[in-house]
Amino acid sequence: MAGRKIRGVANGGGLRAQLYKGRTTSYVILACIVASCGGLIFGYEVGISGGMTSMPAFLKKFNFHSRDDDSPFYYCQNDDQRLTIFTSSLYLAGITASLLASHVTKIYGRRLSILCGGLCSLVGAVLSGAAQNLAMLILGRIMHGIGLGFGNQAVPLYLSEMAPAKIRGALNIMFQLAITMGILCASLINYGSLQIQDWGWRLSLGLAGVPAILMTMGGFFLPETPNSLIERGRYEEARRLLTKIRGTEEVDAEYEDIKEASELAVTNPFKAIFQRKNRPQLVMATMIPFFQQFTGINAIMFYAPVLFQKLGFGTDASLYSAVITGAVNVMATLVAITFVDKWGRRALFLEAGVQMFFTQVAIGLIFAIITPLSKPFAVIVVIVICIYVSSFAWSWGPLGWLIPSEIFTLETRSVGQGINVAVNFLFTFVIAQAFLTMLCHMTYGIFLFFAAWVLVMSLFVYFFLPETKSVPIEEMTSVWRRHWYWKRFVPDEDPPALPSYNQDRYPAED
């Protein structure tokens, strides 16, 4: 095969990375900005769901029940499993759709999955906003879930494949930035809709159609990625596109790496991903989304409005909570965009692990020792919450999407990202179903519970996650070959002849 003449890491070498030419063109940045708008839908849906529980007209329309108890935990009043199904049905549909999307993305390209995601979300917005009964409401949520399954599977892949290696992290995290902006917008819209007594909830649900339209338009007008074009045998078109997005005619090295990776691909990626040589990537695609959901971000975001009530904001507590935590979320994500390709993925993970652990423990201990919570201590807890949210927003929030989208070989990339999204949705569903009950029964212990998980996931990152910054996406296999543990799973066909790509220091071999 032509690609074998100069060994790339698709077959073990790592010898062409230094030959990659080109610059960061305005064309590729614009394409990534448009594609990342897919994150707006996910963020909007996450943000809109919580606000529905505080809208009396919505609760009355669908006969959701609230508990009349004196629990200090405000959300215990809505510990209704029927109400949580409203949220969870979104993620159940997303699990199935993400696995289906992996097949569509591989066979028909990334653009088609983005288009399908936008159209399904648009249908979901119409059904939800016009819902006359619970069945219609849930159907709308299911369509939204299908849209998110397609979008979340395809958009991070699209961003990682379009971006130059040196800024791949920053461009990919634009997806998470869009998610945080969607959450903030949804919270503000929820607050405004709450002032409209009878039909405000319809406005909140229906406006999800706006980001859905943006995503649909992106599906129509975005270019396909060179990796996908080569994967489907459209070689000349891929070379022309690669020349355009890299701003140079000297794309032979990158083109040959992608082509070689395609030639080594198998016909059954679902079977291939479970092979021993793909064990490292499969473990990361399951453990990273699992850990992301067990950081405790839901515990923090759900309880924040109560603290603002303690500070005297009264009925405006949810607005202030949304604006402050949402603004911190957005700003901290910008920090991740700025430093992810300078400091690396591991540095952000490990620093944030320390920050999240101590803030979760601090919040749990304050609630355990000081009851009821006085205003001065409420101020302290709000500050600690903002510190926690910032650490999540520059680590597990964006990196939970970035790492799985960049570590797979071309033959298993679509399937791997599908598994990543499915696992993410699965444990989001589990947390959504169990969280209110956990919060009501564990009270302050829920913060200590998640702090323990933060410790576990930080140790996992330290020992098992190699650094991937600046490594070309089709040369990622060399990263696993050099890792102290994973190298035993990846066959050493052609030992790398170059120094490590700015690898962090790993624990020494025995």
Side-chain angles (χ1 to χ4, degrees), residues 230-305:
I230 289 176
E231 188 176 29
R232 291 179 286 144
R234 295 157 64 176
Y235 300 112
E236 290 306 315
E237 186 179 349
R239 182 183 284 276
R240 289 194 299 270
L241 178 61
L242 197 59
T243 299
K244 185 174 184 179
I245 65 177
R246 299 294 180 252
T248 179
E249 296 289 337
E250 299 180 66
V251 296
D252 289 349
E254 186 173 1
Y255 175 81
E256 289 296 334
D257 272 351
I258 300 173
K259 187 176 179 182
E260 183 176 317
S262 176
E263 290 171 346
L264 293 175
V266 296
T267 57
N268 190 343
F270 278 98
K271 182 178 180 180
I273 202 170
F274 290 100
Q275 293 176 357
R276 180 179 175 85
K277 66 177 183 178
N278 293 315
R279 188 74 49 79
Q281 299 96 317
L282 181 61
V283 170
M284 294 300 162
T286 53
M287 296 307 297
I288 287 178
F290 169 80
F291 284 140
Q292 186 188 53
Q293 296 308 312
F294 278 81
T295 55
I297 188 67
N298 290 328
I300 295 295
M301 301 300 280
F302 268 69
Y303 193 65

Side-chain angles (χ1 to χ4, degrees), residues 461-475:
V461 168
Y462 179 76
F463 285 105
F464 297 110
L465 180 66
E467 183 56 69
T468 57
K469 74 168 184 175
S470 300
V471 182
I473 193 169
E474 300 303 348
E475 302 208 351

Side-chain angles (χ1 to χ4, degrees), residues 319-393:
L319 172 63
Y320 284 95
S321 173
V323 170
I324 293 177
T325 57
V328 169
N329 206 2
V330 172
M331 295 302 295
T333 304
L334 291 174
V335 172
I337 290 176
T338 303
F339 295 109
V340 68
D341 292 309
K342 296 179 181 179
W343 296 348
R345 284 67 159 150
R346 281 169 53 87
L348 292 179
F349 267 133
L350 295 175
E351 186 282 331
V354 174
Q355 198 168 314
M356 287 192 293
F357 176 79
F358 283 107
T359 50
Q360 289 270 32
V361 170
I363 295 170
L365 292 179
I366 290 174
F367 286 148
I369 298 171
I370 304 170
T371 304
L373 197 65
S374 62
K375 186 172 181 178
F377 278 100
V379 173
I380 294 174
V381 174
V382 168
I383 294 173
V384 176
I385 280 180
C386 289
I387 295 173
Y388 169 84
V389 170
S390 67
S391 61
F392 174 85

Side-chain angles (χ1 to χ4, degrees), residues 136-457:
M136 189 174 177
L137 179 70
I138 298 301
L139 180 60
R141 298 294 289 176
I142 290 173
M143 291 303 299
H144 268 306
I146 295 173
L148 292 180
F150 273 87
N152 287 19
Q153 192 276 340
V155 170
L157 275 190
Y158 185 92
L159 296 174
S160 287
E161 291 182 342
M162 288 290 284
K166 61 183 179 181
I167 61 166
R168 183 175 62 243
L171 291 183
N172 187 284
I173 290 176
M174 289 168 60
F175 178 70
Q176 176 67 16
L177 179 63
I179 291 176
T180 61
M181 294 174 66
I183 292 173
L184 178 58
C185 290
S187 300
L188 294 173
I189 289 171
N190 269 343
Y191 178 78
S193 300
L194 188 60
Q195 316 308 313
I196 305 174
Q197 296 296 323
D198 296 327
W199 54 274
W201 64 271
R202 294 189 183 276
L203 182 64
S204 289
L205 293 175
L207 284 177
V210 175
I213 290 173
L214 292 176
M215 185 174 174
T216 303
M217 292 175 63
F220 275 115
F221 298 110
L222 285 172
E224 189 55 86
T225 70
N227 309 63
S228 178
L229 291 173
I230 289 176
E231 188 176 29
R232 291 179 286 144
R234 295 157 64 176
Y235 300 112
E236 290 306 315
E237 186 179 349
R239 182 183 284 276
R240 289 194 299 270
L241 178 61
L242 197 59
T243 299
K244 185 174 184 179
I245 65 177
R246 299 294 180 252
T248 179
E249 296 289 337
E250 299 180 66
V251 296
D252 289 349
E254 186 173 1
Y255 175 81
E256 289 296 334
D257 272 351
I258 300 173
K259 187 176 179 182
E260 183 176 317
S262 176
E263 290 171 346
L264 293 175
V266 296
T267 57
N268 190 343
F270 278 98
K271 182 178 180 180
I273 202 170
F274 290 100
Q275 293 176 357
R276 180 179 175 85
K277 66 177 183 178
N278 293 315
R279 188 74 49 79
Q281 299 96 317
L282 181 61
V283 170
M284 294 300 162
T286 53
M287 296 307 297
I288 287 178
F290 169 80
F291 284 140
Q292 186 188 53
Q293 296 308 312
F294 278 81
T295 55
I297 188 67
N298 290 328
I300 295 295
M301 301 300 280
F302 268 69
Y303 193 65
V306 184
L307 300 175
F308 284 86
Q309 287 179 340
K310 292 283 186 181
L311 289 171
F313 293 126
T315 56
D316 290 335
S318 60
L319 172 63
Y320 284 95
S321 173
V323 170
I324 293 177
T325 57
V328 169
N329 206 2
V330 172
M331 295 302 295
T333 304
L334 291 174
V335 172
I337 290 176
T338 303
F339 295 109
V340 68
D341 292 309
K342 296 179 181 179
W343 296 348
R345 284 67 159 150
R346 281 169 53 87
L348 292 179
F349 267 133
L350 295 175
E351 186 282 331
V354 174
Q355 198 168 314
M356 287 192 293
F357 176 79
F358 283 107
T359 50
Q360 289 270 32
V361 170
I363 295 170
L365 292 179
I366 290 174
F367 286 148
I369 298 171
I370 304 170
T371 304
L373 197 65
S374 62
K375 186 172 181 178
F377 278 100
V379 173
I380 294 174
V381 174
V382 168
I383 294 173
V384 176
I385 280 180
C386 289
I387 295 173
Y388 169 84
V389 170
S390 67
S391 61
F392 174 85
W394 66 52
S395 61
W396 285 97
L399 299 182
W401 296 106
L402 168 60
I403 297 294
S405 71
E406 67 179 1
I407 60 175
F408 284 94
T409 60
L410 184 60
E411 66 176 345
T412 58
R413 190 170 299 145
S414 294
V415 173
Q417 180 65 8
I419 291 174
N420 171 58
V421 176
V423 173
N424 186 294
F425 282 173
L426 173 62
F427 286 101
T428 303
F429 166 76
V430 171
I431 293 294
Q433 285 294 117
F435 177 71
L436 291 178
T437 302
M438 291 173 63
L439 182 60
C440 295
H441 291 86
M442 296 178 67
T443 62
Y444 68 85
I446 196 169
F447 300 103
L448 303 180
F449 170 80
F450 285 120
W453 275 109
V454 169
L455 179 60
V456 170
M457 64 186 71

Side-chain angles (χ1 to χ4, degrees), residues 49-59 74-75 78 190 194 318:
S49 300
M52 292 292 103
T53 63
S54 62
M55 294 188 181
F58 173 77
L59 298 174
Y74 149 98
Y75 281 96
N78 293 317
N190 269 343
L194 188 60
S318 60

